[in-house]
Amino acid sequence: MKPSLNADLHCHSTVSDGLLSPVDVVRRAHANGVNLLALTDHDETGGLAAARAEADVLGLRFVNGVEISVSVGDQTVHIVGLGFDASNAALLAGLQQVRSGRDERAQRMSEGLEKIGIRGVLEGAQRYVGNPALVSRAHFARYLVEIGIARDMPNVFDHYLVRGKPGFVEHEWASLEEALGWIHGAGGIAVIAHPGRTRLSKAEMLKLFDQFKALGGEAIEVVSGSQAGDEALEYARVARRYGFLASRASDFHGPGESPVDLGKAEILPPDLTPVWERLV
């Protein structure tokens, strides 16, 4: 069954850790039959203007998006903001604050990998960077695959870039309260991104949902290309329990790298209220 509205509300461009420019992301989404698109680069809104301009040319409905890195305890959670005013000063200042620690983190990641004999990783990762202000773990992973250290991106993360591995660096991102404050202050909707990818315990996840709801969080990605398909059933139950709106997304980063292409995610369970009812 095809969705009545082919909405894809989480994807990335070269402005963060995607492989395609904002314009090419929009063109690929349009070619894949997407009707409503949000570009959600990590902690960065610099690609939105170009993406929106191309979407207008193609007649594709476009909403502003961003994916904000949030610290919950000692873990990182991602919150997507949708439909906000991209010129909002407090939001832009907050995102700049989050980005400011990335250079130091990248240097420390490279030093950790050098200690086990993998040299020049930061320089190698920077060859994949489209935005000098935003070096991410994905850029490191692409370089490590290139030089044969690991067979693919998930393998790199599992063996080198997650907690307890040599390339992992503890980093303090935004708080959940800050992220939702920025999104809501700019008139947007807050969405918990790919909850199936978080490394929180079940009890910690329930606490996250409670806190998110208490802070006015509206939605959860029930369907995401970066979590297992059967997890949609679990997060559909969460949406029903908390009264969250449901989002659908590919979390597309690039052809040949992402398991789900733009517009190709599974459809939402029919009894849930889609977040796009608040966006269009």
Side-chain angles (χ1 to χ4, degrees), residues 31-248:
N32 284 358
V34 173
N35 309 120
L36 177 67
L37 181 71
L39 177 65
T40 58
D41 280 313
H42 290 283
D43 310 314
E44 175 66 271
T45 59
L48 296 181
R52 179 176 293 280
E54 184 64 18
D56 287 346
V57 169
L58 296 173
L60 169 60
R61 283 182 284 180
F62 183 85
V63 295
N64 290 334
V66 69
E67 184 175 14
I68 303 178
S69 306
V70 167
S71 291
V72 174
D74 62 355
Q75 299 293 331
T76 300
V77 171
H78 292 119
I79 302 296
V80 163
L82 296 173
F84 51 82
D85 174 4
S87 67
N88 181 270
L91 172 66
L92 295 176
L95 295 177
Q96 173 57 41
Q97 172 189 316
V98 176
R99 291 195 305 271
S100 65
R102 282 185 177 270
D103 286 346
E104 180 187 355
R105 184 184 75 150
Q107 182 62 49
R108 292 171 60 199
M109 288 170 60
S110 184
E111 290 168 357
L113 291 167
E114 186 168 348
K115 289 177 180 178
I116 62 167
I118 309 175
R119 296 178 173 80
V121 180
L122 178 55
E123 294 76 12
Q126 286 170 334
R127 300 210 310 265
Y128 290 91
V129 173
N131 176 2
L134 204 150
V135 182
S136 78
R137 293 188 302 166
H139 300 123
F140 276 73
R142 287 173 187 142
Y143 178 68
L144 291 176
V145 171
E146 175 195 327
I147 63 175
I149 294 296
R151 66 177 180 271
D152 54 29
M153 298 272 284
N155 189 253
V156 174
F157 276 85
D158 289 345
H159 290 90
Y160 296 96
L161 300 181
V162 296
R163 185 174 302 279
K165 302 302 180 182
F168 178 81
V169 171
E170 194 76 54
H171 188 76
E172 189 69 25
W173 303 106
S175 69
L176 187 65
E177 185 173 7
E178 286 174 325
L180 267 66
W182 299 332
I183 293 167
H184 291 151
I189 294 172
V191 186
I192 298 177
H194 43 61
R197 274 187 53 194
T198 64
R199 295 177 179 268
L200 299 173
S201 68
K202 185 174 181 179
E204 290 169 332
M205 286 292 289
L206 292 174
K207 185 177 179 180
L208 169 65
F209 297 144
D210 288 341
Q211 185 182 7
F212 182 75
K213 180 72 172 181
L215 290 169
E218 297 95 334
I220 185 172
E221 281 182 4
V222 171
V223 172
S224 170
S226 59
Q227 63 189 23
D230 58 0
E231 290 178 307
L233 297 175
E234 177 180 351
Y235 296 112
R237 287 192 290 269
V238 171
R240 295 182 191 107
R241 174 178 174 181
Y242 286 88
F244 290 147
L245 301 169
S247 192
R248 171 182 185 259

